Amino acid sequence: PMAAARSIFLAVLGAGWRLSSSFQVQRFPLSQHALLVKRGIQRSTSASMAAAMAQYNENMAQHLVDLHDAKATFDFCGGMMFQLALSEKLRSHLCEVGKGDEGGQPVVFDATKERMAKIPSYTKTSEADNVRLFHGREIRQVPNAAGGMGFVLHLSFAGEDAEGWTPKELAGYDGWGHDSQRDWRTGKRLEDEGFKSFRSKFGDEAFTLHHRFYLHLDRGNRLWLSAEDGCEGVAPAL
């Protein structure tokens, strides 16, 4: 069991890290070849993302819908693949926004806003507007989630949404704090609080933690979906 735990922990850390015999995390230098490969991948991803941004002509609402429909996975923490899933209400809303039938294109902040606390008028509340800030959940142990790791990033509509945050999630939100100190929910508990279809949608073993999210670019023009606590994932190129 200890060996298995070490393997899983190192897999989460990713390349360039090791665990000493005293269980101290240590970083060791990657080879020149590995660094060149990494830089090449980053350049390729940045170029692909720039092309995607041009393709969508700043229609980020349609881009999010297309990422959802493609079951696209966001790479969180250097290898944790989360499938993007929009609630039915949020997807419908973004479709209308994408067609220009109503305003409210999602805002994509620039590379200087790499933390939510840096965006204008930031406050520590549960509020979201489906434009600058989104209600969402990280969901674990989801059978058949794209990416093969059982992870889903679920965004819902801030307002009336059968899949949205429950009154107790809204009242108890503290997403600026560390995950280990926050209140994770089982599927049964979330259904009891109001999200009646949670287990039918994500599976009996799924559990979840709610976050606020926002979108920003990095200096390579890659698109990131970031939680309030700083955990974030880079979008794939479609």
Side-chain angles (χ1 to χ4, degrees):
M2 186 65 69
R6 287 169 63 97
S7 298
I8 293 171
F9 185 58
L10 289 173
V12 170
L13 285 176
W17 297 87
R18 65 186 173 193
L19 205 59
S20 71
S21 58
S22 59
F23 284 86
Q24 292 179 320
V25 178
Q26 300 174 336
R27 188 169 182 82
F28 59 87
L30 295 172
S31 68
Q32 184 178 11
H33 173 71
L35 286 171
L36 289 173
V37 170
K38 181 179 179 181
R39 290 169 185 162
I41 291 172
Q42 288 175 336
R43 284 195 296 270
S44 175
T45 302
S46 297
S48 298
M49 184 55 65
M53 297 295 282
Q55 172 190 345
Y56 284 95
N57 193 28
E58 300 183 356
N59 189 346
M60 187 51 56
Q62 186 60 51
H63 190 31
L64 291 174
V65 170
D66 289 350
L67 287 167
H68 162 87
D69 290 350
K71 297 185 177 180
T73 55
F74 282 66
D75 185 350
F76 276 75
C77 305
M80 299 177 70
M81 308 307 294
F82 278 80
Q83 176 188 336
L84 178 66
L86 307 178
S87 72
E88 291 184 13
K89 177 68 177 289
L90 182 58
R91 185 187 182 282
S92 176
H93 167 75
L94 291 174
C95 283
E96 295 304 310
V97 171
K99 292 187 293 187
D101 291 346
E102 54 183 276
Q105 276 288 343
V107 172
V108 180
F109 291 93
D110 64 37
T112 66
K113 309 300 189 297
E114 76 280 4
R115 293 295 297 264
M116 188 181 291
K118 292 186 176 183
I119 69 175
S121 304
Y122 167 79
T123 56
K124 290 182 178 180
T125 71
S126 62
E127 294 178 0
D129 56 12
N130 309 306
V131 175
R132 299 168 75 251
L133 298 171
F134 291 85
H135 282 164
R137 298 181 181 93
E138 64 170 297
I139 307 176
R140 308 292 186 101
Q141 294 187 9
V142 180
N144 304 317
M149 305 184 81
F151 300 152
V152 168
L153 198 293
H154 180 241
L155 297 183
S156 58
F157 186 82
E160 293 296 323
D161 186 346
E163 302 175 38
W165 282 11
T166 67
K168 288 188 176 181
E169 284 179 301
L170 287 165
Y173 181 66
D174 57 352
W176 44 87
H178 194 278
D179 284 4
S180 63
Q181 304 300 316
R182 297 190 58 219
D183 192 5
W184 292 75
R185 283 168 163 80
T186 64
K188 182 182 185 305
R189 177 182 171 189
L190 200 56
E191 289 181 356
D192 290 342
E193 292 181 2
F195 188 170
K196 299 301 184 182
S197 61
F198 181 83
R199 283 184 289 183
S200 65
K201 190 177 184 73
F202 298 111
D204 291 340
E205 302 301 319
F207 60 97
T208 183
L209 183 65
H210 60 310
H211 302 270
R212 291 196 301 177
F213 289 89
Y214 77 113
L215 297 161
H216 74 87
L217 299 177
D218 64 14
R219 299 189 188 282
N221 207 39
R222 297 183 301 170
L223 179 68
W224 293 78
L225 182 61
S226 301
E228 189 161 4
D229 62 4
C231 189
E232 59 182 4
V234 63
L238 292 179

mmCIF file of all heavy atoms in Angstrom, residues 2 14 44 69-70 78-79 94 111 114 116 127 132-133 138 145 156 163 173 175 179 211:
data_model
loop_
_atom_site.group_PDB
_atom_site.id
_atom_site.type_symbol
_atom_site.label_atom_id
_atom_site.label_comp_id
_atom_site.label_asym_id
_atom_site.label_seq_id
_atom_site.Cartn_x
_atom_site.Cartn_y
_atom_site.Cartn_z
ATOM 1 N N MET A 2 1.986 1.239 0.768
ATOM 2 C CA MET A 2 2.844 2.413 0.820
ATOM 3 C C MET A 2 3.470 2.704 -0.530
ATOM 4 O O MET A 2 3.541 3.857 -0.976
ATOM 5 C CB MET A 2 3.946 2.212 1.869
ATOM 6 C CG MET A 2 4.791 3.478 2.085
ATOM 7 S SD MET A 2 3.812 4.826 2.781
ATOM 8 C CE MET A 2 3.517 4.174 4.423
ATOM 9 N N GLY A 14 3.930 14.952 -11.171
ATOM 10 C CA GLY A 14 4.378 15.068 -12.554
ATOM 11 C C GLY A 14 5.887 14.922 -12.669
ATOM 12 O O GLY A 14 6.621 14.713 -11.692
ATOM 13 N N SER A 44 3.611 24.942 -29.084
ATOM 14 C CA SER A 44 2.566 24.391 -29.939
ATOM 15 C C SER A 44 1.186 24.675 -29.364
ATOM 16 O O SER A 44 0.261 25.056 -30.074
ATOM 17 C CB SER A 44 2.772 22.876 -30.094
ATOM 18 O OG SER A 44 1.722 22.304 -30.821
ATOM 19 N N ASP A 69 -19.374 20.274 -25.476
ATOM 20 C CA ASP A 69 -19.906 19.272 -26.405
ATOM 21 C C ASP A 69 -18.842 18.260 -26.826
ATOM 22 O O ASP A 69 -19.161 17.095 -27.103
ATOM 23 C CB ASP A 69 -20.476 19.965 -27.646
ATOM 24 C CG ASP A 69 -21.756 20.743 -27.349
ATOM 25 O OD1 ASP A 69 -22.300 20.602 -26.234
ATOM 26 O OD2 ASP A 69 -22.203 21.503 -28.238
ATOM 27 N N ALA A 70 -17.592 18.705 -26.873
ATOM 28 C CA ALA A 70 -16.482 17.824 -27.249
ATOM 29 C C ALA A 70 -15.957 17.002 -26.076
ATOM 30 O O ALA A 70 -15.027 16.213 -26.237
ATOM 31 C CB ALA A 70 -15.344 18.654 -27.839
ATOM 32 N N GLY A 78 -0.822 20.173 -13.817
ATOM 33 C CA GLY A 78 0.178 19.434 -14.573
ATOM 34 C C GLY A 78 -0.122 17.966 -14.752
ATOM 35 O O GLY A 78 0.771 17.128 -14.593
ATOM 36 N N GLY A 79 -1.377 17.609 -15.054
ATOM 37 C CA GLY A 79 -1.672 16.211 -15.348
ATOM 38 C C GLY A 79 -2.979 15.682 -14.808
ATOM 39 O O GLY A 79 -3.334 14.534 -15.079
ATOM 40 N N LEU A 94 -25.482 30.091 -22.643
ATOM 41 C CA LEU A 94 -24.304 30.437 -23.438
ATOM 42 C C LEU A 94 -24.578 30.307 -24.933
ATOM 43 O O LEU A 94 -24.023 31.067 -25.731
ATOM 44 C CB LEU A 94 -23.119 29.563 -23.025
ATOM 45 C CG LEU A 94 -22.550 29.835 -21.627
ATOM 46 C CD1 LEU A 94 -21.479 28.803 -21.278
ATOM 47 C CD2 LEU A 94 -21.997 31.244 -21.511
ATOM 48 N N ALA A 111 -3.257 38.350 -18.785
ATOM 49 C CA ALA A 111 -2.275 37.538 -18.053
ATOM 50 C C ALA A 111 -1.867 38.139 -16.716
ATOM 51 O O ALA A 111 -1.289 37.433 -15.884
ATOM 52 C CB ALA A 111 -1.040 37.320 -18.925
ATOM 53 N N GLU A 114 -3.745 36.608 -12.925
ATOM 54 C CA GLU A 114 -3.562 35.162 -12.796
ATOM 55 C C GLU A 114 -4.178 34.604 -11.519
ATOM 56 O O GLU A 114 -4.228 33.383 -11.341
ATOM 57 C CB GLU A 114 -2.078 34.800 -12.866
ATOM 58 C CG GLU A 114 -1.262 35.080 -11.624
ATOM 59 C CD GLU A 114 -0.852 36.542 -11.477
ATOM 60 O OE1 GLU A 114 -1.269 37.377 -12.304
ATOM 61 O OE2 GLU A 114 -0.093 36.841 -10.535
ATOM 62 N N MET A 116 -7.771 35.162 -8.946
ATOM 63 C CA MET A 116 -9.074 35.820 -8.900
ATOM 64 C C MET A 116 -9.034 37.085 -8.053
ATOM 65 O O MET A 116 -9.716 38.076 -8.351
ATOM 66 C CB MET A 116 -10.135 34.859 -8.369
ATOM 67 C CG MET A 116 -11.552 35.406 -8.468
ATOM 68 S SD MET A 116 -12.834 34.289 -7.819
ATOM 69 C CE MET A 116 -12.801 32.975 -9.033
ATOM 70 N N GLU A 127 -21.044 35.295 -4.705
ATOM 71 C CA GLU A 127 -21.715 35.859 -5.863
ATOM 72 C C GLU A 127 -21.026 35.469 -7.174
ATOM 73 O O GLU A 127 -19.803 35.398 -7.259
ATOM 74 C CB GLU A 127 -21.772 37.384 -5.752
ATOM 75 C CG GLU A 127 -22.639 37.868 -4.597
ATOM 76 C CD GLU A 127 -22.650 39.378 -4.482
ATOM 77 O OE1 GLU A 127 -21.976 40.051 -5.298
ATOM 78 O OE2 GLU A 127 -23.332 39.892 -3.579
ATOM 79 N N ARG A 132 -18.286 37.370 -15.537
ATOM 80 C CA ARG A 132 -16.944 37.484 -14.957
ATOM 81 C C ARG A 132 -16.634 36.289 -14.061
ATOM 82 O O ARG A 132 -15.503 35.813 -14.025
ATOM 83 C CB ARG A 132 -16.818 38.774 -14.157
ATOM 84 C CG ARG A 132 -17.014 40.035 -14.971
ATOM 85 C CD ARG A 132 -17.174 41.273 -14.099
ATOM 86 N NE ARG A 132 -15.896 41.697 -13.532
ATOM 87 C CZ ARG A 132 -15.586 41.585 -12.253
ATOM 88 N NH1 ARG A 132 -16.440 41.029 -11.391
ATOM 89 N NH2 ARG A 132 -14.408 42.006 -11.813
ATOM 90 N N LEU A 133 -17.628 35.850 -13.327
ATOM 91 C CA LEU A 133 -17.463 34.780 -12.357
ATOM 92 C C LEU A 133 -18.544 33.724 -12.555
ATOM 93 O O LEU A 133 -19.704 34.051 -12.843
ATOM 94 C CB LEU A 133 -17.545 35.331 -10.925
ATOM 95 C CG LEU A 133 -16.468 36.340 -10.525
ATOM 96 C CD1 LEU A 133 -16.808 36.960 -9.179
ATOM 97 C CD2 LEU A 133 -15.105 35.671 -10.474
ATOM 98 N N GLU A 138 -15.759 20.975 -8.558
ATOM 99 C CA GLU A 138 -14.879 19.880 -8.969
ATOM 100 C C GLU A 138 -15.523 18.599 -8.448
ATOM 101 O O GLU A 138 -15.948 18.524 -7.291
ATOM 102 C CB GLU A 138 -13.461 20.036 -8.447
ATOM 103 C CG GLU A 138 -13.304 19.992 -6.942
ATOM 104 C CD GLU A 138 -11.852 19.912 -6.507
ATOM 105 O OE1 GLU A 138 -11.180 18.907 -6.829
ATOM 106 O OE2 GLU A 138 -11.404 20.870 -5.852
ATOM 107 N N ALA A 145 -15.589 9.471 -17.056
ATOM 108 C CA ALA A 145 -15.258 10.873 -17.342
ATOM 109 C C ALA A 145 -14.149 10.916 -18.384
ATOM 110 O O ALA A 145 -13.207 10.120 -18.349
ATOM 111 C CB ALA A 145 -14.807 11.588 -16.071
ATOM 112 N N SER A 156 -22.251 25.679 -13.536
ATOM 113 C CA SER A 156 -23.702 25.831 -13.548
ATOM 114 C C SER A 156 -24.074 27.305 -13.651
ATOM 115 O O SER A 156 -23.235 28.194 -13.511
ATOM 116 C CB SER A 156 -24.319 25.211 -12.289
ATOM 117 O OG SER A 156 -23.791 25.810 -11.117
ATOM 118 N N GLU A 163 -29.327 22.351 -11.463
ATOM 119 C CA GLU A 163 -28.003 21.798 -11.188
ATOM 120 C C GLU A 163 -27.100 22.813 -10.495
ATOM 121 O O GLU A 163 -25.908 22.562 -10.292
ATOM 122 C CB GLU A 163 -27.341 21.345 -12.496
ATOM 123 C CG GLU A 163 -28.120 20.315 -13.275
ATOM 124 C CD GLU A 163 -27.476 20.003 -14.619
ATOM 125 O OE1 GLU A 163 -26.234 19.959 -14.694
ATOM 126 O OE2 GLU A 163 -28.226 19.825 -15.597
ATOM 127 N N TYR A 173 -20.228 29.075 1.540
ATOM 128 C CA TYR A 173 -19.093 29.140 0.611
ATOM 129 C C TYR A 173 -17.890 29.862 1.220
ATOM 130 O O TYR A 173 -18.011 30.954 1.778
ATOM 131 C CB TYR A 173 -19.495 29.841 -0.680
ATOM 132 C CG TYR A 173 -18.354 29.921 -1.680
ATOM 133 C CD1 TYR A 173 -17.849 28.758 -2.254
ATOM 134 C CD2 TYR A 173 -17.776 31.131 -2.016
ATOM 135 C CE1 TYR A 173 -16.795 28.803 -3.138
ATOM 136 C CE2 TYR A 173 -16.721 31.193 -2.911
ATOM 137 C CZ TYR A 173 -16.232 30.027 -3.470
ATOM 138 O OH TYR A 173 -15.182 30.074 -4.347
ATOM 139 N N GLY A 175 -14.572 29.536 -0.682
ATOM 140 C CA GLY A 175 -13.669 28.983 -1.690
ATOM 141 C C GLY A 175 -12.312 29.624 -1.788
ATOM 142 O O GLY A 175 -11.465 29.151 -2.548
ATOM 143 N N ASP A 179 -8.503 23.639 0.196
ATOM 144 C CA ASP A 179 -9.443 22.526 0.027
ATOM 145 C C ASP A 179 -9.538 21.640 1.261
ATOM 146 O O ASP A 179 -10.620 21.145 1.589
ATOM 147 C CB ASP A 179 -9.026 21.660 -1.165
ATOM 148 C CG ASP A 179 -9.359 22.297 -2.501
ATOM 149 O OD1 ASP A 179 -9.841 23.444 -2.508
ATOM 150 O OD2 ASP A 179 -9.132 21.651 -3.540
ATOM 151 N N HIS A 211 -16.657 25.645 -6.112
ATOM 152 C CA HIS A 211 -15.731 26.763 -6.264
ATOM 153 C C HIS A 211 -16.359 27.827 -7.158
ATOM 154 O O HIS A 211 -17.206 27.516 -8.009
ATOM 155 C CB HIS A 211 -14.438 26.329 -6.980
ATOM 156 C CG HIS A 211 -13.665 25.238 -6.332
ATOM 157 N ND1 HIS A 211 -12.679 25.456 -5.396
ATOM 158 C CD2 HIS A 211 -13.710 23.889 -6.512
ATOM 159 C CE1 HIS A 211 -12.137 24.301 -5.028
ATOM 160 N NE2 HIS A 211 -12.755 23.330 -5.693
#
